[in-house]
Amino acid sequence: MSSKQINIFLTGVTGYIGGSILTGLLHHPNVSNFKITALIRGDESRVKKIASLGVTTLIGTNDSHDIIEKAASESHVVIHTSNSADDIPSTRSIISGLNKRTETTGKPAIYIHTSGTAVISEDVRGKKGSNTVYSDLDPDKINSVSDEQAHRNVDLLIINAAQANPLLKSVIVIPPAIHGIGTGLFHRYSETLAALIRAALKRDKVEMIGPGESKWSYSHIDDSVDAYIILLDQLLAVYGPNAKPDAKPSSYLTTGREGYYFTENGQVSGQEVSEKIGETLYKKGVLKSPEVTSFPDDEIESALFGPFSWVLGCQSNSKAERLAKLGWKPHRPNMLDCVEEQVDALLNDAKNGDSWNRRLFGQDIS
């Protein structure tokens, strides 16, 4: 018996995570059975490039409620990556569309949402944080964080929607600081590393937030994409249009209030990252010294990426134990080992000139 077509609605395809996920979907062994629809801001050249991959394109933004709601209502799966961690309007539109779908079909709909580890972070301004570790095998601990934490308002919106509609099968992916060169067509850089590198290039010195003692979890972009694909496959096997009638989820494939999935594969301190950047830029003759100093507090936001810059001074301890139980096996290089390729990519952009302002200074990011 032939398989039914699987409709996938993906946001953020011109961005770092979303673009890399799109590449992962297009290389999926079952891609011939996928109908992928992507939401893209109205740039004709981008739309044409994405459409040339066989992707259905919708022109709109996260505020395009009717477009998003309709696309979600026509999809078996929604994967949200476009400023998804903090964007209430787009999340509401997706939930509304998926609720309409389940009401019409009487069948499950899958929502894979992208949050971030800022939801569990400690604002320690670069100082040493606590030893508190959050595991995705302990959703109660994650659910105990303050409602005022970053991203939490959006996460709660999804959790409450899934509780109200048992057919809405939602999972919240919580990536840490992601590194590595992405595989999408457009924005391919880790903003975490790129922000620190371009600040060093602009200011002729390498800096960190505070003493650099706080630590972040990290994950390679390719390992992160693997995590999304594993979740997609396993959710489809149980809740998708081709799921067998007697299919039952693994006890580790949880949704709704228990459906958290970290994607970390290690931890590093702000000082270690900045020292590696300094070492690399000095070795390449770009800086006169590898020495690392601290940003003046009143210059951090202008030097990096605005008010959210302080996240680079937070403590964030996560463990991706649930995904490991589902077969996720991250194996790409760690963050420190990826610093040099990130430096080379940004320096190459600077050398080429035409993409310096747009990419090195982060003005074209989804």
Side-chain angles (χ1 to χ4, degrees), residues 214-269:
S214 58
K215 294 187 175 183
W216 332 313
S217 300
Y218 62 74
S219 177
H220 193 282
I221 183 64
D222 292 340
D223 288 326
S224 298
V225 170
D226 286 351
Y228 280 88
I229 298 299
I230 285 173
L231 275 173
L232 173 68
D233 288 346
Q234 297 210 20
L235 288 165
L236 283 172
V238 182
Y239 305 118
N242 299 306
K244 296 178 181 178
D246 59 349
K248 297 194 182 302
S250 158
S251 60
Y252 296 107
L253 186 67
T254 50
T255 59
R257 188 172 178 79
E258 297 183 345
Y260 296 106
Y261 296 85
F262 289 120
T263 62
E264 65 75 38
N265 185 37
Q267 198 175 57
V268 70
S269 72

Side-chain angles (χ1 to χ4, degrees), residues 125-127 192 195-197 199-200 203 205-214 216 269-278 290-301 303-304 309-314:
R125 307 283 161 132
K127 297 177 183 178
T192 302
L196 291 167
I197 294 167
R203 295 161 67 87
K205 56 185 176 182
V206 179
E207 294 160 289
M208 59 190 174
I209 293 180
E213 296 170 342
S214 58
W216 332 313
S269 72
Q271 181 177 1
E272 290 172 313
V273 172
S274 292
E275 286 178 346
K276 187 66 175 181
I277 291 171
E291 181 184 0
V292 177
T293 59
S294 297
F295 288 104
D297 283 356
D298 61 353
E299 296 178 18
I300 287 174
E301 295 184 13
L304 296 170
S309 302
W310 292 98
V311 73
L312 296 183
C314 287

Side-chain angles (χ1 to χ4, degrees), residues 8 31 44 61 72-73 89-90 127 139 164 186 198 214 223 225 262 271 283 319 336 342 352:
I8 301 173
V31 65
E44 187 175 347
T61 69
S73 71
S90 59
K127 297 177 183 178
F186 304 104
R198 63 177 176 254
S214 58
D223 288 326
V225 170
F262 289 120
Q271 181 177 1
K283 179 179 71 174
K319 293 296 292 182
L336 295 180
Q342 182 77 84
N352 290 337

Side-chain angles (χ1 to χ4, degrees), residues 5 27 35-36 45 56 70 76 81 87 99 111 130 178 180 185 189 212 263 274 306 319 335 339 354:
Q5 177 180 276
H27 286 86
K35 180 180 184 296
I36 303 171
S45 64
T56 300
K70 186 174 186 294
H76 300 100
T81 74
D87 195 78
N99 281 340
Y111 181 15
S130 74
I178 301 180
L185 291 180
Y189 298 159
T263 62
S274 292
K319 293 296 292 182
M335 179 175 278
V339 167
D354 62 335

Side-chain angles (χ1 to χ4, degrees), residues 36-253:
I36 303 171
T37 299
L39 181 72
I40 305 176
R41 288 199 297 266
D43 181 309
E44 187 175 347
S45 64
R46 291 200 212 185
V47 171
K48 286 182 177 179
K49 285 182 180 180
I50 295 295
S52 71
L53 301 175
V55 175
T56 300
T57 56
L58 298 175
I59 298 176
T61 69
N62 277 8
D63 293 322
S64 301
H65 171 78
D66 292 345
I67 293 172
I68 295 173
E69 182 186 58
K70 186 174 186 294
S73 71
E74 295 172 349
S75 301
H76 300 100
V77 181
V78 175
I79 304 174
H80 192 16
T81 74
S82 176
N83 193 31
S84 49
D86 296 303
D87 195 78
I88 288 282
S90 59
T91 303
R92 280 184 174 146
S93 300
I94 289 168
I95 290 170
S96 177
L98 292 176
N99 281 340
K100 286 186 175 182
R101 179 177 183 82
T102 60
E103 184 178 352
T104 300
T105 66
K107 295 180 180 179
I110 298 167
Y111 181 15
I112 301 175
H113 179 83
T114 307
S115 183
T117 50
V119 75
I120 59 162
S121 66
E122 303 169 39
D123 184 8
V124 293
R125 307 283 161 132
K127 297 177 183 178
K128 186 175 181 180
S130 74
N131 294 320
T132 302
V133 178
Y134 291 84
S135 165
D136 44 18
L137 287 179
D138 189 357
D140 287 342
K141 188 171 184 177
I142 301 171
N143 283 319
S144 72
V145 303
S146 167
D147 290 355
E148 304 305 312
Q149 283 285 112
H151 315 329
R152 188 60 179 162
N153 58 337
V154 179
D155 291 354
L156 285 172
L157 179 64
I158 297 164
I159 291 167
N160 292 336
Q163 186 171 355
N165 180 5
L167 289 176
L168 177 59
K169 303 301 180 181
S170 67
V171 297
I172 297 176
V173 181
I174 310 179
I178 301 180
H179 63 276
I181 305 299
T183 57
L185 291 180
F186 304 104
H187 181 58
R188 303 180 66 191
Y189 298 159
S190 156
E191 189 57 21
T192 302
L193 291 179
L196 291 167
I197 294 167
R198 63 177 176 254
L201 294 173
K202 285 189 291 183
R203 295 161 67 87
D204 293 319
K205 56 185 176 182
V206 179
E207 294 160 289
M208 59 190 174
I209 293 180
E213 296 170 342
S214 58
K215 294 187 175 183
W216 332 313
S217 300
Y218 62 74
S219 177
H220 193 282
I221 183 64
D222 292 340
D223 288 326
S224 298
V225 170
D226 286 351
Y228 280 88
I229 298 299
I230 285 173
L231 275 173
L232 173 68
D233 288 346
Q234 297 210 20
L235 288 165
L236 283 172
V238 182
Y239 305 118
N242 299 306
K244 296 178 181 178
D246 59 349
K248 297 194 182 302
S250 158
S251 60
Y252 296 107
L253 186 67

